[in-house]
Amino acid sequence: MTRKQRRSVLIGGCMAVLAVAVGLVLFALSDSIVFFYSPSEVMAKELAPGQRFRLGGLVEDGSVERNRGTTVKFVITDKAKDLPVTYTGVLPDLFREGQGVVAEGMLGPDGVFQADKVLAKHDENYMPPEVAAKLKEQGLWEGPEQVSRETEPSKVN
């Protein structure tokens, strides 16, 4: 083998190993690449209890129950399916019924989502873009378009 052929074989082998590594990483991450699941997707996928994921949707009106201490029960809906959620901790100040929310945690064996982190909207014109897109895609939400966060350049006199 000439020197040029050896170099070509070495480069080709490295490329093959790299391609296999990238393929394995993508395969391993295939279920966790999605930012969050809606209640309909959770029901359709039948996720195993104990698997961590993010759940996004709207807090159903009339579903918030505050128990003793900091435990709160509420229902997240995408207007097609509902999923009960239990959270122990201090909720964000802007958490309320009818608003967009993303909860992070795992599904319990009883079918209740056990959240360990809850993220709420931060003003009346905002809903997490992923939640808004999923709800709009299903034709279940017709909220305002996302408001740009860019400010107008200041004018210098």
Side-chain angles (χ1 to χ4, degrees):
M1 255 172 127
T2 67
R3 192 172 186 189
K4 188 175 183 179
Q5 289 173 329
R6 277 191 301 223
R7 189 176 330 133
S8 296
V9 168
L10 180 64
I11 291 173
C14 289
M15 295 292 245
V17 168
L18 183 63
V20 168
V22 168
L24 288 174
V25 167
L26 290 176
F27 179 74
L29 296 176
S30 63
D31 277 341
S32 59
I33 288 176
V34 175
F35 181 71
F36 75 95
Y37 295 113
S38 68
S40 295
E41 291 171 329
V42 171
M43 301 296 183
K45 276 190 143 259
E46 297 178 4
L47 296 172
Q51 181 180 347
R52 291 190 61 77
F53 63 95
R54 290 181 177 168
L55 175 67
L58 300 172
V59 178
E60 188 171 322
D61 290 330
S63 71
V64 178
E65 296 177 25
R66 296 180 188 273
N67 297 333
R68 296 183 103 174
T70 58
T71 300
V72 181
K73 294 180 180 181
F74 55 95
V75 176
I76 293 181
T77 183
D78 60 3
K79 303 288 186 180
K81 300 277 185 181
D82 302 333
L83 195 63
V85 177
T86 300
Y87 174 69
T88 301
V90 179
L91 286 168
D93 291 337
L94 297 173
F95 175 89
R96 60 182 176 267
E97 297 174 349
Q99 299 299 320
V101 68
V102 175
E104 187 174 331
M106 61 185 73
L107 197 60
D110 56 354
V112 176
F113 186 78
Q114 305 294 326
D116 51 38
K117 187 185 293 186
V118 174
L119 308 171
K121 70 180 204 81
H122 55 79
D123 74 17
E124 75 263 2
N125 295 322
Y126 180 80
M127 176 180 288
E130 297 84 2
V131 173
K134 294 265 184 184
L135 292 172
K136 284 180 182 180
E137 180 180 294
Q138 296 171 355
L140 301 171
W141 187 69
E142 296 178 9
E145 294 300 317
Q146 296 300 314
V147 176
S148 173
R149 301 279 179 234
E150 296 177 16
T151 58
E152 193 174 301
S154 58
K155 296 177 183 175
V156 178
N157 293 333

